[in-house]
C-alpha cells in the first residue's frame, strides 16, 4: 500500500494507481430513450394511421439497437432502463389491460379453450424437446427451447435454467432463438390473418396460443383491434400460468438428479402481474369504474406497452442471432411451425 493524497489507495503493477470503477448506469437514460421512442411511435401513427403505435415502437426499438450513432448507448448506459421498461412496464401494461375484460368475457372463453391451451402447450413442449434431442443439441438446450416455445419465451427459459442450474452456453442461444422467432411472429402472423380465414377473435386466440413472449403477443394481436388483443392476452395468460407446474416438475427432476438452484431463486407459483390482471378483470366486472377512468386507463396501458415493446426491440441483436448454429435454427423453425399449426388447429376446433 502507498500513500496517495490523504487516503490509502492500492497501487497497480508498475506503480500506477488503480482507477476506481465508475458508477453503474441507472435506469433514467434508458427510460428517457424509451419515452422518446414512444413519442416517435405516436408521431408515426398520427402520420400513417395504418401503422399502430405498438408496432412502430417495436420497429423503432430494433432500429435503435442497430443504428451506428445510437447502438452503443442502447447496449451500454441505456440498457438498465430499457430492460426495466421491457419487464416491469410490460407487466404494468398487462395489468391495466385487465380493465378491458369483464368476468363475463372470461367465462365466455369456455372449458374447451382451456383444454386447447393445455393441448397446445403439451404438444409444443413434448415435440420440441424430442426434436431437439434427435438433432443432438448439447446440454439443456432442448428442454430450454421447449420451455420457451411452450410457455412464455425468455422468461420460461430463465426460470427453467435456474432450477436446472443450466450452463450459460445452453441458455444464451436458446434465448436468442426464441427472441428471433417471436419477433418474426410479430410481422408474419398478421399477414396470415386474412388468408387463413380467421375472425378477429380467432386470430387473437391463435396469437395468444402460439406466440412466445407476452410483449410479442401484444404486438402481433393488436393489429386486429382491441377485441383480438383481449382474446390474445387472456389465452396467453393461461399459458403463463402453466409456468408454475412446469417449473415444479423441473424442480422434482433436478432434485432427483442432484441438480438445481437455491430456494431463493425459485420463481413464484403465481406471477404477480397475472394476479394483478385478474384483479383488474374483477374490478371491471363490478361496473364501478366510469367511462372516463376506463378511457384514461386504456391510454396509460398503450403508453406502457409501447415503452415495453421499444425496450424489447432494443434487446434484439441480429448479428448474434445469426450465429446460433444450423441445428438450433432448424429446431427453432420447426418448433415455430409446430406451435403455430397446433394452436391454429386448436382454435378451429374450439370456436
Amino acid at each position: 500500500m502507498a500513500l496517495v493524497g490523504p487516503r490509502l489507495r492500492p497501487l497497480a503493477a508498475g506503480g500506477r494507481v488503480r482507477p476506481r470503477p465508475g458508477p453503474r448506469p441507472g435506469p433514467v437514460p434508458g427510460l428517457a430513450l424509451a419515452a422518446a421512442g414512444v413519442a416517435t411511435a405516436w408521431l408515426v401513427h398520427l402520420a400513417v394511421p395504418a401503422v399502430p403505435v405498438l408496432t412502430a415502437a417495436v420497429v423503432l426499438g430494433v432500429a435503435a439497437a442497430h443504428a451506428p450513432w445510437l447502438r452503443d448507448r442502447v447496449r451500454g448506459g441505456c440498457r438498465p432502463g430499457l430492460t426495466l421498461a421491457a419487464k416491469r412496464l410490460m407487466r404494468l401494461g398487462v395489468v391495466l389491460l385487465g380493465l378491458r375484460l369483464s368476468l363475463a368475457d372470461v367465462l365466455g372463453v369456455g372449458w374447451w379453450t382451456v383444454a386447447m391451451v393445455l393441448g397446445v402447450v403439451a404438444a409444443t413442449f413434448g415435440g420440441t424437446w424430442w426434436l431437439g434431442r434427435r438433432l443432438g443439441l448439447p446440454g439443456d438446450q432442448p428442454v430450454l427451447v421447449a420451455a420457451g416455445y411452450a410457455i412464455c419465451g425468455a422468461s420460461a427459459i430463465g426460470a427453467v435454467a435456474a432450477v436446472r442450474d443450466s450452463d450459460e452456453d445452453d441458455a444464451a442461444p436458446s434465448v436468442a432463438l426464441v427472441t428471433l422467432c417471436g419477433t418474426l411472429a410479430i410481422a408474419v402472423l398478421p399477414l396470415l390473418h386474412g388468408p387463413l380465414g380467421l375472425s378477429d377473435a380467432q386470430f387473437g386466440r391463435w396469437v395468444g396460443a402460439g406466440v412466445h413472449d407476452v410483449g410479442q403477443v401484444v404486438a402481433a394481436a393488436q393489429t386486429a383491434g382491441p377485441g383480438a388483443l383481449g382474446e390474445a392476452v387472456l389465452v396467453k395468460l393461461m399459458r403463463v400460468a402453466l409456468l408454475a407446474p412446469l417449473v415444479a416438475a423441473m424442480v422434482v427432476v433436478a432434485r432427483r438428479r442432484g441438480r438445481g438452484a437455491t430456494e431463493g431463486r425459485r420463481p413464484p407459483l403465481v406471477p404477480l402481474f397475472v394476479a394483478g390482471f385478474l384483479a383488474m378483470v374483477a374490478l371491471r366486472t363490478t361496473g364501478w369504474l366510469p367511462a372516463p377512468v376506463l378511457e384514461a386507463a386504456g391510454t396509460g396501458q398503450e403508453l406502457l406497452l409501447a415503452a415495453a415493446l421499444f425496450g424489447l426491440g432494443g434487446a434484439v441483436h441480429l448479428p448474434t442471432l445469426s450465429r446460433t448454429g444450423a441445428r438450433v435454427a432448424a429446431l427453432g423453425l420447426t418448433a415455430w411451425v409446430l406451435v403455430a399449426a397446433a394452436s391454429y388447429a386448436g382454435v378451429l376446433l374450439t370456436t
Side-chain angles (χ1 to χ4, degrees):
M1 304 288 283
L3 281 173
V4 180
R7 296 182 181 179
L8 287 172
R9 294 176 61 185
L11 295 180
R16 296 180 181 178
V17 178
R18 294 176 182 171
R20 292 177 178 176
R24 294 182 178 180
V28 174
L31 291 176
L33 180 60
V38 171
T40 305
W42 201 282
L43 292 175
V44 171
H45 174 66
L46 291 178
V48 187
V51 179
V53 174
L54 301 186
T55 301
V58 175
V59 174
L60 288 170
V62 176
H66 297 84
W69 51 276
L70 191 57
R71 61 191 179 195
D72 290 339
R73 294 184 181 179
V74 171
R75 300 169 193 166
C78 291
R79 187 71 262 153
L82 292 177
T83 300
L84 177 66
K87 293 182 178 180
R88 303 298 182 184
L89 298 188
M90 171 62 70
R91 283 156 176 75
L92 289 175
V94 171
V95 169
L96 289 180
L97 196 59
L99 292 176
R100 291 181 177 269
L101 300 172
S102 67
L103 186 58
D105 299 322
V106 177
L107 295 176
V109 170
W111 289 107
W112 283 110
T113 299
V114 176
M116 180 267 289
V117 171
L118 291 172
V120 169
V121 168
T124 302
F125 185 84
T128 304
W129 194 357
W130 175 84
L131 181 60
R133 292 174 64 88
R134 293 285 294 178
L135 288 172
L137 295 184
D140 283 346
Q141 286 187 24
V143 69
L144 294 179
V145 173
Y149 272 77
I151 306 293
C152 53
S155 300
I157 292 174
V160 172
V163 300
R164 291 179 63 89
D165 197 20
S166 302
D167 292 336
E168 191 174 291
D169 290 340
D170 291 337
S174 302
V175 170
L177 181 67
V178 170
T179 301
L180 172 62
C181 290
T183 303
L184 289 176
I186 297 174
V188 174
L189 265 60
L191 298 178
L192 300 176
H193 182 183
L196 291 179
L198 297 172
S199 66
D200 290 348
Q202 287 177 321
F203 176 74
R205 293 189 181 192
W206 183 45
V207 171
V211 180
H212 320 317
D213 188 82
V214 176
Q216 295 160 352
V217 168
V218 171
Q222 54 85 31
T223 59
L229 181 58
E231 294 280 348
V233 171
L234 184 58
V235 172
K236 177 59 187 176
L237 288 178
M238 291 182 186
R239 290 173 61 197
V240 171
L242 295 177
L243 179 61
L246 175 65
V247 169
M250 292 295 166
V251 170
V252 173
V253 173
R255 286 177 176 175
R256 287 180 177 177
R257 296 181 178 179
R259 302 172 59 184
T262 61
E263 184 74 20
R265 293 173 62 187
R266 294 176 186 172
L269 292 178
V270 179
L272 184 60
F273 77 100
V274 175
F277 175 85
L278 296 176
M280 292 299 102
V281 172
L283 182 60
R284 173 65 183 269
T285 303
T286 64
W288 294 342
L289 298 179
V293 173
L294 293 174
E295 184 177 351
T299 302
Q301 164 238 309
E302 187 168 25
L303 293 175
L304 288 170
L305 292 179
L309 292 176
F310 182 88
L312 184 67
V316 175
H317 187 227
L318 297 179
T320 299
L321 296 178
S322 67
R323 296 193 296 267
T324 54
R327 287 182 297 170
V328 177
L331 174 63
L333 293 176
T334 305
W336 193 29
V337 174
L338 172 64
V339 67
S343 56
Y344 178 68
V347 168
L348 293 183
L349 290 173
T350 57
T351 55

